[in-house]
Amino acid sequence: PAPVSVRHVIGHLVPDLVLGALAKALPGHVLAEGAAALWNIHMSVRPVAGVQGRRAEILMFNSGGMGARPAADGLSATAFPSGVMTMPIEATEQTGPVVVWRKELRPDSGGDGQYRGGLGQVIEIEPLPGHEFDFSAMFDRINHPAKGRDGGMPGAAGKAALDDGTVLQPKGWQHVPEGRRLVLHLPGGGGFGDPARRDPKARANDLAKGYVTEVAK
C-alpha cells in the first residue's frame, strides 16, 4: 500500500547517516556514501485499448553503486548494506510483455578519489508492441547524490526519464506509453580520499574498461 511502499528507502538511507557520524570519530576508516536505496520497479503491464495482449505484474530489483572504501574502490551495481540482487533480465522478460534493451554499468557515475566510488547502471525497458505500463517509482539519490569521504568526490545523481527526454518523478506512479522506453540512470557511489592520490595504473584501468570516459584532470 502507498503509505508503506517506500519504507525500504528510509531503511537503506539510515546506514549512511550512521556511518557519517562514525566517520567524524574515525576519520580515514569509514567508507563513502553509496546509492543506498534500491531502485526497485513494480511494473503493471497491460495491452492498449483494442488490442488482445498479456497483462502482468513485474517486480524488478536494481542497485546503484556502493561508496568507495578506505582501501578499495566501491563495488558497482551492488546494494549496500542489504546485498539484495536481481534476477537475470531474460527471466524478467519471460514474466511479462516487456523488453530490457539495456542493463549496463553507467560510465563516469562513480565519484573520483584515491579510491573510486562504485558505478551505477543504465537500464532501458520498453513494453512490447501493443502494450503499455505504469510503474511505481521508488527512487532516491536524484536530488542528493552520494557524498564522497575524506576528500573524495560525490557520485553521479540518478535520473528517471523516457527515451524522448521526458523527465519522470522519483516517487509515485508513472506511465510508459506504447512505443516509448523507460530509461533509468542509477546513481553512483561517492569516492574516498584525495583524487590526486589515485594510482595512475588504476586510472588507466578505469579508462581502458570504460568506467570513465576521460582522464581526470
Side-chain angles (χ1 to χ4, degrees):
V4 296
S5 64
V6 293
R7 65 194 185 282
H8 74 280
V9 172
I10 297 173
H12 282 99
L13 287 171
V14 165
D16 273 344
L17 178 65
V18 174
L19 291 171
L22 289 174
K24 296 178 180 179
L26 299 169
H29 294 279
V30 179
L31 76 165
E33 292 184 353
L38 301 171
W39 275 48
N40 296 344
I41 315 170
H42 171 207
M43 294 174 278
S44 293
V45 193
R46 60 182 180 271
V48 297
V51 174
Q52 294 294 322
R54 296 172 58 195
R55 288 181 174 269
E57 300 293 324
I58 304 171
L59 179 59
M60 186 179 183
F61 288 77
N62 303 288
S63 303
M66 177 182 166
R69 296 162 285 179
D73 293 343
L75 301 176
S76 297
T78 299
F80 176 84
S82 66
V84 173
M85 299 179 66
T86 189
M87 67 177 69
I89 59 173
E90 293 83 0
T92 299
E93 291 175 335
Q94 289 297 315
T95 304
V98 297
V99 175
V100 181
W101 289 103
R102 283 197 295 167
K103 192 175 192 295
E104 60 192 29
L105 294 179
R106 179 186 175 191
D108 300 320
S109 58
D112 196 9
Q114 182 179 3
Y115 299 103
R116 174 183 43 74
L119 304 182
Q121 302 182 66
V122 179
I123 303 173
E124 193 169 334
I125 308 172
E126 180 182 13
L128 287 180
H131 293 78
E132 60 187 359
F133 68 81
D134 290 326
F135 73 96
S136 178
M138 297 176 278
F139 309 144
D140 224 292
R141 293 292 190 211
I142 287 180
N143 297 320
H144 303 283
K147 296 178 182 178
R149 189 88 69 203
D150 290 5
M153 303 302 291
K159 180 181 178 181
L162 299 180
D163 60 335
D164 63 359
T166 301
V167 176
L168 301 178
Q169 296 298 313
K171 301 289 193 300
W173 280 99
Q174 312 287 314
H175 181 64
V176 180
E178 180 187 15
R180 293 264 67 93
R181 298 181 183 182
L182 171 64
V183 184
L184 302 176
H185 290 81
L186 276 64
F192 187 97
D194 185 351
R197 299 182 62 186
R198 185 159 178 78
D199 187 337
K201 292 182 179 179
R203 290 202 179 280
N205 183 63
D206 287 345
L207 193 62
K209 291 184 176 179
Y211 296 160
V212 298
T213 56
E214 61 180 19
V215 178
K217 297 180 176 61

